[in-house]
Amino acid sequence: MENMLKNRYDFILYYDVENGNPNGDPDAGNMPRIDPQTGYGIVSDVCLKRKVRNYALYAREGQEGFDIYVSEGAVLNNKQREAYEATGLKTKDNKDDKLTAQAYMCQRFFDVRTFGAVMDTGDFKCGQVRGPVQLCFSKSADRIFQQEVTITRMASTTEKENATENRTMGRKYLVPYGLYRAEGFISPKFAQKTGFDENDLAFFFEALQNMFELDRSASRGKMSARKLIVFKHESELGNAPAAALFDLVEAKLINPGQPPRAYREYEITLDKASVPEGVEVLELL
Amino acid sequence: MGYGITLHVKGEYALFTRPELKGERVSYDVITPSAARGILEAILWRPPLKWVIDQITVLNPIEFEPIRRNEVGSKISPRNVSAAMAGTAVDLHQNPVEDRQQRASLVLRNVEYLLDAHFTILKDKAGENDTPEKFYNMFLRRARQGQCFHRPYLGCREFAAHFRLMEEDEKRPVSYYAGESERDLGWMLQDLEYKQETANKKQLYSYTPYFFRASMKHGIIQIPQEVKL
């Protein structure tokens, strides 16, 4: 296991949305999520994890070890199963069932290895796998404005509807512009347990940068990863509190008087001089 | 008790799920001793270490916010995993579109706590060099530098906790509820007792929840110690 993770990482991802809905709120009729206390936009952790999973599905389709446990839609890569059957992983030893099953799931599924999973049904509990990667809710740099757009459709669903002059009206919700910041953590001790190695880490960062490029849809608008700042700690346990590191990075409006409509209206600063000893800053994007 | 510590923890969100309201999760008003123990264990834990929470100080006003998310309805069945490993063709994937549940969570906002705790050493699991001094100093070193085994969290992993060691001579922040003589928080989960037994050559896992009547006096909740855990 020479590829094992030996450093703690804390990271910040800035991404933005233009005329789109980054994450609908099922409680609010799919309006963009908003922090009701402040008016800042939020995006849930699971929303971003979904995109990482999807990216892994596209980018590493069919590759051993990159199967996705929580997959969307039909399962096309059943072929992988055969590969696993062929390797002849066996579990007849009752005592170690739990650990063997966990190891199998980690080895086969990228998302189990990365984010963890709950295996807790049936007669024997397999406990849960806690993955090394932990993501928090994203928050926008400024208040967002939720806009409701009404649209019409020229065709109709039923014959009856077609007979009338009325056309179907629909609704879209969008944020004209929002710069969001996601914070995350990678714990090497968990990585060593699930087998999430340096290659997986590199792939995970690749996914963060590219996942929006493969997630185009009518509702999303233009979403792009803009900046990925990674704090690499020298030690496994870390060399500085994450909060102190996150405070070094700030996104500020260049012209605070005007509502932002583009990324160039923001300036993201990183106070490099204050980075504590033992922490290396990697600006991956 | 000699080796007590005080940890200052805070976060933007927190969800300490009430066991009776788990479908659509509702948080307790404050952090549970069980969740507090989890935070300490995220910083330092070894098999002989047993963290005991002595008191919890609630620094910020208790505020709730609802969040609804799309979630997956089922868990991985270990039976299927075993079958797949043994070579049977079963599908291990989950399909979130077919197995979707929209579930709301009533979460806490902007929480900040002081956790007073100490640890005891379990003799039967301790090695020769496992002295309380060693663990105490390890904890202090890690907490001062912001080191952790894994990122601690406030009930759920998406709600990360930031922590800071309170030094002994440091002035303690004043609770928002310092002026309130008493508030009954009702019955709260204290902790779960996990057991692993072998019966008829089969591994059996069980856990027993323990509850306590939480009462906040001037923002401080004393955690009873007499509960068997």
Side-chain angles (χ1 to χ4, degrees):
Chain A
M1 294 284 279
E2 55 197 59
N3 235 339
M4 233 158 53
L5 229 57
K6 293 182 192 73
N7 310 86
R8 196 184 102 188
Y9 296 86
D10 301 313
F11 61 90
I12 295 176
L13 171 72
Y14 276 103
Y15 57 94
D16 64 355
V17 58
E18 242 179 88
N19 292 328
N21 185 356
N23 185 201
D25 185 350
D27 257 346
N30 208 34
M31 295 242 288
R33 284 186 196 275
I34 201 164
D35 173 344
Q37 286 183 327
T38 60
Y40 284 65
I42 49 178
V43 169
S44 68
D45 58 312
V46 282
C47 172
L48 292 186
K49 285 185 190 173
R50 176 79 261 153
K51 294 190 206 314
V52 172
R53 287 186 166 107
N54 286 349
Y55 183 78
L57 267 180
Y58 302 137
R60 295 287 169 102
E61 193 184 346
Q63 281 192 37
E64 197 169 313
F66 282 89
D67 205 351
I68 292 298
Y69 173 60
V70 187
S71 59
E72 209 161 11
V75 180
L76 299 169
N77 35 15
N78 278 347
K79 284 237 160 96
Q80 289 183 20
R81 191 193 296 147
E82 290 160 29
Y84 266 88
E85 283 162 13
T87 58
L89 251 173
K90 283 209 165 50
T91 172
K92 290 290 166 216
D93 186 11
N94 239 349
K95 200 176 149 215
D96 293 328
D97 262 359
K98 174 177 162 177
L99 293 175
T100 323
Q102 281 192 2
Y104 174 85
M105 295 300 285
C106 288
Q107 194 188 331
R108 175 167 170 186
F109 292 103
F110 173 74
D111 52 344
V112 175
R113 198 158 69 232
T114 306
F115 302 126
V118 180
M119 288 196 275
D120 242 352
T121 39
D123 293 340
F124 58 107
K125 308 263 183 238
C126 277
Q128 19 180 321
V129 183
R130 286 202 282 182
V133 177
Q134 190 174 341
L135 278 167
C136 299
F137 276 31
S138 308
K139 200 169 83 179
S140 62
D142 286 283
R143 284 186 187 181
I144 58 159
F145 176 69
Q146 303 161 300
Q147 194 172 342
E148 189 177 347
V149 180
T150 306
I151 48 176
T152 57
R153 189 174 64 174
M154 296 313 290
S156 38
T157 325
T158 58
E159 288 284 348
K160 195 177 158 201
E161 194 187 331
N162 205 21
T164 67
E165 284 289 299
N166 293 333
R167 286 289 169 255
T168 315
M169 308 278 272
R171 267 199 182 112
K172 279 179 93 153
Y173 298 101
L174 53 87
V175 179
Y177 185 80
L179 179 67
Y180 288 78
R181 161 171 161 151
E183 296 175 348
F185 313 92
I186 300 170
S187 312
K189 292 286 190 184
F190 279 180
Q192 290 157 17
K193 282 185 186 168
T194 68
F196 180 90
D197 61 13
E198 293 283 353
N199 291 337
D200 290 326
L201 181 78
F203 178 71
F204 175 71
F205 285 141
E206 175 194 323
L208 286 186
Q209 294 170 60
N210 296 328
M211 59 189 184
F212 297 112
E213 307 297 331
L214 300 179
D215 187 59
R216 303 291 177 213
S217 82
S219 64
R220 295 270 179 259
K222 190 173 95 189
M223 288 187 79
S224 328
R226 291 297 189 171
K227 210 156 196 53
L228 177 59
I229 297 171
V230 179
F231 296 100
K232 180 179 180 180
H233 298 254
E234 219 168 72
S235 68
E236 283 188 336
L237 295 170
N239 297 61
L245 298 176
F246 290 158
D247 286 348
L248 301 177
V249 182
E250 218 181 355
K252 270 214 168 114
L253 269 178
I254 295 168
N255 187 355
Q258 268 179 10
R261 287 294 181 264
Y263 179 60
R264 61 175 175 275
E265 291 168 40
Y266 275 101
E267 189 185 23
I268 296 177
T269 53
L270 164 63
D271 182 2
K272 274 197 181 141
S274 308
V275 174
E277 215 172 299
V279 178
E280 190 189 343
V281 182
L282 311 167
E283 288 183 71
L284 296 184
L285 183 68
Chain B
M1 283 272 291
Y3 292 99
I5 58 100
T6 308
L7 198 70
H8 185 171
V9 299
K10 62 176 183 179
E12 271 189 82
Y13 296 92
L15 174 51
F16 310 108
T17 309
R18 287 175 181 271
E20 70 273 26
L21 296 166
K22 275 166 89 165
E24 302 232 67
R25 291 176 287 262
V26 176
S27 177
Y28 278 118
D29 289 6
V30 299
I31 189 170
T32 61
S34 166
R37 176 177 59 82
I39 289 177
L40 297 173
E41 286 177 354
I43 300 169
L44 175 72
W45 182 78
R46 292 292 150 84
L49 263 192
K50 201 184 111 186
W51 282 104
V52 180
I53 309 295
D54 300 316
Q55 72 171 35
I56 290 165
T57 310
V58 183
L59 296 178
N60 281 0
I62 297 165
E63 284 174 4
F64 288 93
E65 184 179 314
I67 292 170
R68 188 177 291 272
R69 286 176 281 185
N70 289 325
E71 298 176 8
V72 174
S74 57
K75 299 174 192 166
I76 308 176
S77 151
R79 200 188 292 255
N80 277 352
V81 179
S82 296
M85 289 159 79
T88 318
V90 290
D91 193 352
L92 286 180
H93 299 84
Q94 278 184 330
N95 184 339
V97 177
E98 282 169 18
D99 193 15
R100 173 157 292 173
Q101 291 182 351
Q102 285 196 340
R103 297 209 278 174
S105 306
L106 194 59
V107 305
L108 293 168
R109 282 308 307 270
N110 297 325
V111 300
E112 210 167 327
Y113 303 110
L114 293 182
L115 308 177
D116 287 278
H118 70 278
F119 60 81
T120 53
I121 304 272
L122 301 173
K123 290 245 160 51
D124 52 329
K125 286 181 185 159
E128 268 176 36
N129 300 321
D130 291 340
T131 61
E133 292 82 2
K134 177 179 109 176
F135 291 129
Y136 180 64
N137 286 313
M138 276 175 86
F139 184 86
L140 292 191
R141 205 163 54 235
R142 287 189 183 182
R144 279 193 188 119
Q145 292 181 28
Q147 295 189 321
C148 49
F149 183 88
H150 64 89
R151 173 58 35 192
Y153 49 85
L154 297 158
C156 298
R157 288 194 75 194
E158 58 269 37
F159 307 132
H162 293 299
F163 62 90
R164 197 175 65 81
L165 184 79
M166 290 280 293
E167 303 291 345
E168 270 174 49
D169 50 0
E170 208 176 321
K171 197 166 172 281
R172 294 167 74 96
V174 178
S175 163
Y176 174 83
Y177 297 101
E180 192 181 77
S181 62
E182 183 163 7
R183 179 184 292 208
D184 186 0
L185 298 174
W187 286 98
M188 271 180 72
L189 176 77
Q190 175 151 7
D191 217 324
L192 295 161
E193 184 189 29
Y194 294 94
K195 269 206 197 110
Q196 187 182 341
E197 285 167 329
T198 315
N200 299 329
K201 290 184 186 169
K202 231 184 147 186
Q203 289 286 314
L204 296 174
Y205 302 93
S206 71
Y207 55 89
T208 317
Y210 289 89
F211 293 86
F212 75 112
R213 185 90 192 194
S215 166
M216 184 167 74
K217 290 175 182 154
H218 303 286
I220 298 171
I221 303 160
Q222 296 292 340
I223 312 301
Q225 305 292 312
E226 65 269 23
V227 175
K228 181 190 137 276
L229 274 175

